[in-house]
Amino acid sequence: MATQFQSHVCKFLLLFILQCIITTTTLAQAPAPAPSGPTNITKILEKAGQFTTLMRLFKLTQVGDQINTQLNNSNQGMTVFAPTDNAFSALKSGTLNSLSDQQKVELLQFHVLPQYLTTSQFQTISNPLRTQAGDSASNKFPLNITSSGNQVNVTTGVVDTTVANTIYTDGSLAVYQVDKVLLPMDLFGPPSPAPAPTPEKKKKSGADDDTPATDDSTPSADASGAVGFGGHLHGFMVGSVGVITLIALFCL
């Protein structure tokens, strides 16, 4: 009996030790929780849906990479206004194709603010807002945002729209849905008026006149180029009459 009891005890201990080894090995091989990846504007838009055209343009112009790099390598927040696929479809046919590569970059950068803004902060901002596209003071890329209650209005001087939805916000990046493409004045505004022509200077008279004064005593040329001798002929005739008169008096 003692031998059987010892055998059962040994088997139990062996099984217990084997179970401990298996459990320890399993726990050692279990992967640690994966760290949250870097912020990626494309993945955010892909998860939200209905932003296929914007994602394609971000990739084509590399503006998406610029946003990701800036977010993950600096403490500067950003705000992105994301037009939906329907917003791009509503543009006049050929609008995007008419833009150069640089103009496409400027168009997308016009949708990006180099600061993080919540919807409540829209009530206290100073317009016009500076975008990644650059100059806002000389009526090239002005973006104006006003807030009334729960409605946030966005205007560019060419397009007026509202913020339709908050897609993403994490304290560093805010992405808001807009139902129109934000068209900047510099690319889609009315053309600048042509400069007024410079008035021609009036021709001076008198001594400054380029036309020389005509002297009646000098021969003049008519249209055929012939020279007139009116003054000399008159003198010749007067002289001839005088000679004839003297001859007639002498003969008498």
Side-chain angles (χ1 to χ4, degrees):
M1 293 292 293
T3 303
Q4 292 180 349
F5 176 78
Q6 290 176 350
S7 177
H8 286 302
V9 170
C10 290
K11 290 180 180 180
F12 176 79
L13 289 175
L14 287 172
L15 290 172
F16 177 77
I17 293 171
L18 182 62
Q19 181 66 35
C20 289
I21 293 173
I22 294 173
T23 303
T24 302
T25 304
T26 304
L27 290 174
Q29 293 178 347
S36 58
T39 304
N40 188 302
I41 184 64
T42 302
K43 290 183 178 179
I44 292 171
L45 294 174
E46 185 177 8
K47 183 177 180 181
Q50 67 177 337
F51 296 99
T52 304
T53 304
L54 182 59
M55 289 190 296
R56 178 175 60 81
L57 289 173
F58 272 158
K59 182 178 180 180
L60 178 67
T61 60
Q62 298 184 346
V63 171
D65 292 337
Q66 294 173 7
I67 294 174
N68 295 333
T69 300
Q70 187 167 334
L71 283 171
N72 296 305
N73 294 281
S74 70
N75 295 324
Q76 187 177 13
M78 304 187 80
T79 301
V80 177
F81 295 101
T84 61
D85 291 335
N86 288 337
F88 281 102
S89 298
L91 291 175
K92 184 179 178 181
S93 179
T95 297
L96 294 179
N97 292 333
S98 67
L99 300 177
S100 66
D101 291 342
Q102 179 58 35
Q103 288 173 331
K104 289 176 182 177
V105 170
E106 292 175 345
L107 174 62
L108 294 178
Q109 289 177 335
F110 187 60
H111 290 72
V112 182
L113 305 179
Q115 56 183 317
Y116 172 78
L117 292 174
T118 64
T119 53
S120 60
Q121 288 177 309
F122 288 141
Q123 300 177 3
T124 58
I125 56 176
S126 298
N127 289 308
L129 290 174
R130 180 175 178 81
T131 69
Q132 291 287 81
D135 195 350
S136 61
S138 60
N139 210 32
K140 287 187 174 182
F141 294 96
L143 185 68
N144 295 276
I145 299 178
T146 57
S147 179
S148 177
N150 294 327
Q151 180 171 307
V152 177
N153 303 305
V154 184
T155 180
T156 71
V158 179
V159 169
D160 297 321
T161 188
T162 59
V163 172
N165 188 25
T166 300
I167 300 172
Y168 179 85
T169 180
D170 62 2
S172 178
L173 171 65
V175 183
Y176 299 106
Q177 174 186 329
V178 288
D179 293 332
K180 290 184 180 180
V181 179
L182 305 181
L183 305 178
M185 289 287 293
D186 190 58
L187 301 180
F188 298 94
S192 302
T198 305
E200 295 183 2
K201 294 182 179 180
K202 292 184 178 180
K203 200 172 185 180
K204 295 182 179 180
S205 58
D208 294 335
D209 195 344
D210 293 336
T211 304
T214 302
D215 187 352
D216 291 341
S217 63
T218 59
S220 60
D222 59 13
S224 63
V227 179
F229 294 92
H232 296 282
L233 182 60
H234 176 72
F236 175 77
M237 293 180 65
V238 171
S240 299
V241 171
V243 171
I244 293 172
T245 302
L246 288 175
I247 292 174
L249 290 174
F250 181 75
C251 293
L252 291 176

